[in-house]
Amino acid sequence: MTHAPTHAPTHTALPTALGHIRVLDLSRVLAGPWCSQNLADLGADVIKIERPGSGDDTRAWGPPYAKDADGNDTTEAAYYLAANRGKRSVTVDIASIEGQALVRELVIHADVMLENFKVGHLARYGLDYATLRAIKPDLVYCSITGFGQDGPYAHRAGYDFLIQGMGGFMSITGERDDLPGGGPQKAGVAITDLMTGMYATVAVLAALTHRDRTGEGQHIDMALLDVQVAMLANMASNYHTSGKAPKRWGNAHANIVPYQTFACCDGHIIVATGNDSQYQKFVTTGGRAELAFDARFATNALRVQHRAVLVPLLDAMVALRPRGEWIALLEAVGVPCGPINDLADVFENPQVRARGLAIDIAHPSAGKVTLVRSPMTLSVTPTRFDKAPPLLGQHTDDVLRDVLGRSDKDITALRARGVL
């Protein structure tokens, strides 16, 4: 069964993968908006439903704020700008009866709904999946919570930092406990939120594919804790295989030696030898060829076993040369290596510049904002970056007029009653 789109496809100079899809986004902060930004980059019409007067919490998460043409702060926080490109903002008070009715009416014209309210919260407004499925049976409804729709923690609020700790990530992240600075560390970005947004994107696309084949919608239950446990990857496998909980290794690797940072005489580099041949090239290039043939270090398993002996020898070897010289020497012999860049270095990197990862988008109050493009590069249906993160309520009138057919008089009256 082929599902007909609920609205006219978007016509652009180049086709978009999701130009026929409309998303109603009731999520805030990061995991949900990261998912909906992915869908917007792929061409979907994303309508961001926000609270009148305040909107998404991250609008207030500054400084820094985008600057206007005179160098003054606008009200657009950099945090908000990072996750809301390509959307249309509509303000609706969903605590009001009329606001709830407006959202239900918008659902009829949508393919996907995203939300990250506490379990059961939207049922009181008639915006839960069971209610909306009755009026839109083919709706793909994605709920993002801290702990999922069931289980003893289902009604708890979930925050990225807490989930990084509860989900095991911080037990394997940070310097070894027996070294200076040892102890648990969170990631430098909200990694659980971001990965939940990515998994949610995949799930939404899978559910849309199923809908297009069968006409059947479904409820997607995304939990931050589920994602954090799933993304433990080889560390979880190590635990299940050995029965021992992995520990923190700092910038070293639990299973590969040497695969870590080293201090040069003028900075740090990463050396990542993935096999015995690369290890042998590393030490030979460093003038320590005898370490390539030392029986204690002949294989990776032996190097892991004798890590405490080998690594200090490598530290002393690397410290003799500057960072640039090491990188040039190791690249010439095929040993994976690289610098540790700050973000100024990153955006000046010739490969980053060649790939066009930093993009400037026209913005109604800042003139322009510089963001990072989607890493998804499609040859036929490229991602699009033609719409800046919207001002609060910027598209309320347009959406109510064009999607729901409301007159200007109706919209004015709704605004006067505090619904918008």
Side-chain angles (χ1 to χ4, degrees):
M1 176 177 181
T2 301
H3 180 88
T6 56
H7 62 98
T10 299
H11 295 288
T12 59
L14 290 171
T16 60
L18 299 181
H20 61 300
I21 297 298
R22 177 171 288 142
V23 178
L24 202 59
D25 183 10
L26 273 69
S27 68
R28 298 92 61 210
V29 185
L30 191 51
W34 200 252
C35 171
S36 58
Q37 181 169 264
N38 282 333
L39 299 173
D41 285 346
L42 291 167
D45 176 23
V46 176
I47 299 173
K48 183 178 178 70
I49 303 297
E50 301 192 72
R51 181 184 302 172
S54 57
D56 191 312
D57 299 22
T58 61
R59 288 183 179 275
W61 287 10
Y65 296 92
K67 305 286 187 182
D68 64 18
D70 297 321
N72 300 313
D73 282 347
T74 66
T75 59
E76 306 304 295
Y79 198 118
Y80 163 79
L81 294 174
N84 289 283
R85 172 179 61 241
K87 307 174 188 180
R88 298 198 281 175
S89 173
V90 172
T91 52
V92 178
D93 178 11
I94 66 169
S96 71
I97 299 298
E98 286 184 282
Q100 295 158 18
L102 276 177
V103 174
R104 283 192 292 271
E105 191 173 352
L106 284 168
V107 164
I108 294 172
H109 298 273
D111 304 278
V112 178
M113 177 164 157
L114 296 175
E115 60 91 7
N116 65 342
F117 288 81
K118 289 182 180 179
V119 172
H121 186 88
L122 288 182
R124 71 183 71 173
Y125 300 144
L127 299 177
D128 56 303
Y129 177 61
T131 300
L132 297 183
R133 180 177 59 179
I135 63 174
K136 178 75 172 174
D138 61 354
L139 180 68
V140 172
Y141 186 110
C142 181
S143 297
I144 299 175
T145 59
F147 299 96
Q149 298 294 307
D150 53 22
Y153 292 2
H155 291 278
R156 292 189 184 185
Y159 297 91
D160 177 276
F161 191 7
L162 299 179
I163 301 297
Q164 286 191 40
M166 294 180 67
F169 182 83
M170 291 174 64
S171 76
I172 57 173
T173 304
E175 189 53 271
R176 286 164 40 184
D177 289 341
D178 60 334
L179 293 178
Q185 289 286 318
K186 69 178 182 67
V189 294
I191 190 72
T192 310
D193 276 343
L194 294 171
M195 285 295 292
T196 301
M198 298 305 296
Y199 271 110
T201 303
V202 174
V204 165
L205 295 177
L208 286 172
T209 297
H210 174 77
R211 182 208 66 172
D212 289 347
R213 290 201 313 265
T214 68
E216 179 183 38
Q218 60 185 297
H219 187 198
I220 299 168
D221 175 8
M222 293 297 312
L224 270 66
L225 182 62
D226 293 358
V227 169
Q228 180 56 81
V229 173
M231 62 182 277
L232 293 172
N234 59 295
M235 287 299 187
S237 183
N238 286 352
Y239 166 69
H240 287 297
T241 300
S242 69
K244 297 178 181 178
K247 59 183 180 179
R248 287 179 288 277
W249 285 98
N251 288 323
H253 196 289
N255 305 112
I256 309 171
V257 175
Y259 199 101
Q260 63 185 80
T261 57
F262 290 100
C264 306
C265 64
D266 64 346
H268 288 78
I269 60 168
I270 297 168
V271 178
T273 62
N275 55 53
D276 296 337
S277 174
Q278 289 174 350
Y279 163 72
Q280 291 161 9
K281 292 175 182 177
F282 174 38
V283 293
T284 300
T285 300
R288 295 298 305 271
E290 74 278 8
L291 297 179
F293 304 102
D294 190 309
R296 295 170 298 175
F297 315 134
T299 67
N300 180 69
L302 288 169
R303 292 192 294 276
V304 170
Q305 181 182 343
H306 297 290
R307 180 196 304 262
V309 177
L310 176 59
V311 170
L313 298 174
L314 300 179
D315 282 335
M317 178 186 78
V318 174
L320 297 174
R321 300 173 188 261
R323 184 173 74 164
E325 183 177 340
W326 267 116
I327 291 173
L329 289 170
L330 295 180
E331 285 185 345
V333 296
V335 175
C337 65
I340 298 173
N341 291 330
D342 65 17
L343 294 199
D345 296 325
V346 168
F347 289 107
E348 288 300 318
N349 181 278
Q351 183 66 19
V352 171
R353 292 172 68 88
R355 298 286 289 176
L357 288 168
I359 53 173
D360 289 335
I361 303 179
H363 188 274
S365 64
K368 71 169 184 177
V369 291
T370 302
L371 302 174
V372 178
R373 73 163 176 83
S374 170
M376 295 181 284
T377 304
L378 289 75
S379 65
V380 176
T381 55
T383 47
R384 68 178 195 189
F385 315 111
D386 55 346
K387 292 194 292 185
L391 302 177
L392 179 60
Q394 179 180 342
H395 304 95
T396 302
D397 292 16
D398 291 343
V399 169
L400 266 60
R401 186 185 304 113
D402 299 342
V403 178
L404 300 185
R406 292 289 195 274
S407 68
D408 291 344
K409 181 179 179 181
D410 290 340
I411 294 169
T412 299
L414 286 167
R415 186 167 280 113
R417 292 195 295 273
V419 178
L420 306 179

